[in-house]
Amino acid sequence: MIDSSSTALIMIDMQNGFINEASPLCIAGAKKSIPACRRVLEYARENVVPVYHVIRRYAADGSDVEPCRYDIWKDERPLSDACPEEIGPLEPAELAPLAGEVTVVKPRFSAFFQTDLHARLQKQGIDTLLLTGTTTPNCIRSTCYDALSYNYDVIVVEDATSSRNEDVQRANMEDMAFIGARIIRSVDL
């Protein structure tokens, strides 16, 4: 059972630049996870669970793009203000933030790296995190491990996360479960 008074939803990188097939940064399974992400988002809103939308927003000149991603990014500039909206930094309408929901812009994979997320969560008395979004081996996993290092109880919503293929998804879920995260499905909320 989830205690909504001490739980927060962290939805990571569910943005057009990672979801739309036209984007060079598209994650194969991201679009398929939208309905599950929406179910978790509705659960959070109905149960007064704080919602944090954690996103990437690159500078138009690419000065803050990870070196490992720059060559893929440089031509079309997804997730920046220098690209078309369909591959930009916005979330699709069905996942977009409502008034009162926090958006955190992260500079790298983990939602905690060089952000104020931990301080915000601590101020609210949060000790449990529901993780959703993309990609499982990068942003979800690094956020999970950092959260565990901060002593949060971590719940990864498997069908509300995505990877480039099912083998990668399965292996990462197994690793996160082994290290202490709880793995559930959106229908289990």
Side-chain angles (χ1 to χ4, degrees):
M1 195 66 181
I2 296 172
D3 180 357
S4 62
S5 68
S6 62
T7 300
L9 168 58
I10 312 297
M11 186 165 51
I12 302 171
D13 293 344
M14 290 304 291
Q15 302 167 259
N16 293 332
F18 290 121
I19 296 169
N20 190 314
E21 294 89 357
S23 173
L25 297 179
C26 180
I27 305 305
K31 191 172 191 173
K32 189 172 94 173
S33 71
I34 291 174
C37 286
R38 179 70 186 167
R39 274 192 295 282
V40 178
L41 189 57
E42 288 171 357
Y43 166 87
R45 290 170 175 165
E46 290 168 6
N47 289 280
V48 196
V49 169
V51 176
Y52 288 82
H53 299 261
V54 180
I55 65 167
R56 292 304 314 265
R57 180 182 294 275
Y58 292 123
D61 66 1
S63 59
D64 57 353
V65 176
E66 302 93 331
C68 63
R69 194 176 264 168
Y70 185 80
D71 285 341
I72 297 168
W73 179 87
K74 69 182 176 184
D75 293 331
E76 296 180 54
R77 301 179 185 261
L79 299 170
S80 76
D81 293 330
C83 72
E85 186 174 314
E86 63 267 9
I87 63 169
L90 294 179
E91 294 167 296
E94 61 264 46
L95 301 178
L98 296 180
E101 295 177 353
V102 176
T103 297
V104 174
V105 179
K106 63 184 177 70
R108 291 294 186 259
F109 299 120
S110 174
F112 291 100
F113 182 76
Q114 295 183 357
T115 72
D116 65 351
L117 180 61
H118 178 60
R120 288 174 176 267
L121 296 169
Q122 291 298 286
K123 188 175 181 179
Q124 287 188 284
I126 301 299
D127 64 15
T128 302
L129 303 181
L130 284 170
L131 298 184
T132 64
T134 200
T135 73
T136 303
N138 297 331
C139 301
I140 302 301
R141 185 175 173 148
S142 61
T143 299
C144 172
Y145 279 55
D146 284 352
L148 291 168
S149 295
Y150 280 124
N151 296 318
Y152 290 100
D153 181 20
V154 177
I155 303 168
V156 180
V157 186
E158 183 174 16
D159 59 324
T161 63
S162 56
S163 298
R164 66 184 184 273
N165 65 52
E166 289 302 317
D167 291 337
V168 171
Q169 180 77 357
R170 186 173 32 267
N172 279 276
M173 288 298 158
E174 289 173 6
D175 281 349
M176 287 186 287
F178 181 77
I179 201 70
R182 288 189 281 162
I183 310 298
I184 67 169
R185 298 194 55 77
S186 61
V187 295
D188 297 330
L189 290 171

